[in-house]
Amino acid sequence: MQYQALVAYERENGVFEQVVTELNSDNLPAGEVLIKVEYSSLNYKDALSATGNKGVTRKYPFTPGIDAAGYIAESHSSRFKEGDQVLVTGYDLGMNTPGGFGQYIRVPTAWVVPLPLGLSMKHAMIHGTAGYTAALALQRMLVNGMAPDQGPVLVTGATGGVGSISVLLLDHLGYEVSAATLKEEKHDYLRRIGASEIISSAELKDTTDRGLLSGRWAHAIDTVGGDILSTVVRSTKPFGNVAVLGLANSSLLTMPVFPFIIRGVNMLGVNSAETPYDLRVQLWKNLATFWKPEIPEELVTEVSLGELKPYIEKILKGKVTGRVVVKTGEG
Ligand SMILES: NC(=O)c1ccc[n+]([C@@H]2O[C@H](COP(=O)([O-])OP(=O)(O)OC[C@H]3O[C@@H](n4cnc5c(N)ncnc54)[C@H](OP(=O)(O)O)[C@@H]3O)[C@@H](O)[C@H]2O)c1
């Protein structure tokens, strides 16, 4: 089958370029199911793959896209039949297995989640890895005792993909949400998606060596890392949970241990790519039912494969607001 894909090429001068290219599904890697991709989405990691980050993708030319939703086109699995609606997020998709920025993917059955009732393929990709990661962070915090009456929950990098869906979900579930952002012009957006307090990330950052700062938040979801994460952990109230999932600011964390040994704060790691399958299926069902807030239109930008390139550059600079959904199907 001939199909279109946004392919990242490594040119001789070490420059990476993304070009919409015609490919053939016979050249996809082995796998039990061939999926006709209708929607994908843009995540920070996709931009790293598309621009030559070899920690994400080793060999080029390569088709990025860690998310895909579509129909089963061919199945050698007893679990799926032709025409089933499915989604794939994470695992190796879009890292070293050609991903959702192509109109076809071929993957192992073990990666494939049936599209839950109540979610369209587009809605599933509005969430994509970003929404799934927000859901996983929530689940980790709920298991560790988070409840709405304990006080505000902070979300950092709040206008980004994971940040926006985190704000939306927490508000939907009855939490008071504080949102930290670098984007001064997006405060009204954050209020409209559910934040009740907006904080400037630049002002939030404490670079002193104080082991504890005054407790401001009951819990937090951090998408940015570095000094901001250190400040967030030192400002979390006793027995609070801090879900740690991103590095948009920095991958390094240097801080004293006092929040852990004096306040009993928990740092909870979030790995969306490798979550056990049963938990993954359950969280997608949650997102289709009682964790299903209305998605405000302004949270979503829909683009075609041909329109995706500028958004790849934008997300690397932290300039994307909300979620970029990629319509790969023609229909
Ligand atoms: N652990 C996992 O499984 C997992 C899954 C998905 C994503 N992630 C990670 O989570 C992070 C967010 O991903 P995403 O797809 O939501 O990306 P995104 O849409 O680009 O969101 C990141 C947001 O972080 C803020 N930001 C960017 N640069 C910053 C800086 N230097 N200092 C402080 N804040 C900064 C910006 O929001 P404001 O302008 O509002 O501050 C930006 O919109 C990435 O690091 C990604 O790799 C991890």
Side-chain angles (χ1 to χ4, degrees), residues 42-45 48 66 129-130 133 136 156-163 180-183 190 201 205 223-224 228 244-250 270-273 315-323:
L42 177 66
N43 298 277
Y44 189 78
K45 203 192 237 179
L48 295 179
I66 63 174
T129 288
T133 303
L136 183 57
T156 64
T159 70
V162 181
T181 183
L182 288 171
K183 299 187 185 82
L190 285 169
S201 294
K205 198 180 333 191
T223 73
V224 300
I228 291 180
V244 179
L245 58 85
L247 41 65
N249 171 38
S250 168
V270 178
N271 176 349
S272 62
I315 202 168
L316 285 174
K317 296 183 187 141
K319 299 284 184 212
V320 164
T321 295
R323 295 281 295 142

Side-chain angles (χ1 to χ4, degrees), residues 53-306:
N53 185 311
K54 302 252 167 124
V56 178
T57 298
R58 289 187 298 273
K59 285 194 189 144
Y60 295 85
F62 183 69
T63 306
I66 63 174
D67 293 338
Y71 298 96
I72 299 284
E74 280 172 23
S75 175
H76 300 283
S77 154
S78 54
R79 286 189 25 224
F80 295 102
K81 61 179 189 320
E82 212 175 293
D84 285 352
Q85 296 188 36
V86 294
L87 64 93
V88 182
T89 64
Y91 298 103
D92 190 51
L93 189 71
M95 291 184 69
N96 292 292
T97 301
F101 295 172
Q103 292 171 322
Y104 283 89
I105 57 171
R106 191 181 284 116
V107 294
T109 319
W111 299 2
V112 183
V113 171
L115 188 75
L117 276 178
L119 274 195
S120 65
M121 288 190 271
K122 179 174 172 181
H123 196 141
M125 289 296 101
I126 290 172
H127 283 305
T129 288
Y132 174 73
T133 303
L136 183 57
L138 263 182
Q139 188 268 349
R140 300 276 284 124
M141 296 162 89
L142 289 169
V143 165
N144 281 280
M146 178 172 78
D149 61 2
Q150 294 161 347
V153 181
L154 176 70
V155 177
T156 64
T159 70
V162 181
S164 291
I165 305 272
S166 298
V167 171
L168 201 64
L169 279 177
L170 284 163
D171 176 59
H172 178 69
L173 295 177
Y175 290 86
E176 184 185 338
V177 186
S178 299
T181 183
L182 288 171
K183 299 187 185 82
E184 280 178 23
E185 71 288 4
K186 292 291 173 185
H187 289 195
D188 288 345
Y189 162 82
L190 285 169
R191 283 202 182 84
R192 287 193 293 269
I193 67 169
S196 48
E197 183 193 23
I198 319 289
I199 296 155
S200 148
S201 294
E203 285 167 24
L204 168 74
K205 198 180 333 191
D206 177 283
T207 51
T208 68
D209 58 4
R210 289 173 63 196
L212 290 173
L213 302 168
S214 40
R216 293 178 71 181
W217 302 286
H219 308 281
I221 295 179
D222 178 68
T223 73
V224 300
D227 290 341
I228 291 180
L229 173 58
S230 153
T231 308
V232 168
V233 176
R234 288 179 291 145
S235 310
T236 298
K237 291 182 179 176
F239 306 107
N241 299 304
V242 180
V244 179
L245 58 85
L247 41 65
N249 171 38
S250 168
S251 60
L252 290 180
L253 176 64
T254 310
M255 59 170 292
V257 296
F258 297 114
F260 312 113
I261 63 177
I262 294 180
R263 289 194 180 149
V265 169
N266 302 316
M267 273 178 96
L268 305 175
V270 178
N271 176 349
S272 62
E274 307 287 340
T275 331
Y277 185 79
D278 289 349
L279 175 59
R280 183 179 289 270
V281 170
Q282 184 56 53
L283 290 176
W284 277 107
K285 282 186 184 158
N286 292 1
L287 288 169
T289 53
F290 50 99
W291 290 7
K292 190 182 178 192
E294 283 288 312
I295 306 274
E297 261 180 41
E298 63 182 325
L299 193 146
V300 184
T301 305
E302 183 176 315
V303 298
S304 64
L305 285 173

Side-chain angles (χ1 to χ4, degrees), residues 38-53:
E38 296 293 323
Y39 286 95
S40 180
S41 83
L42 177 66
N43 298 277
Y44 189 78
K45 203 192 237 179
D46 298 318
L48 295 179
S49 168
T51 54
N53 185 311

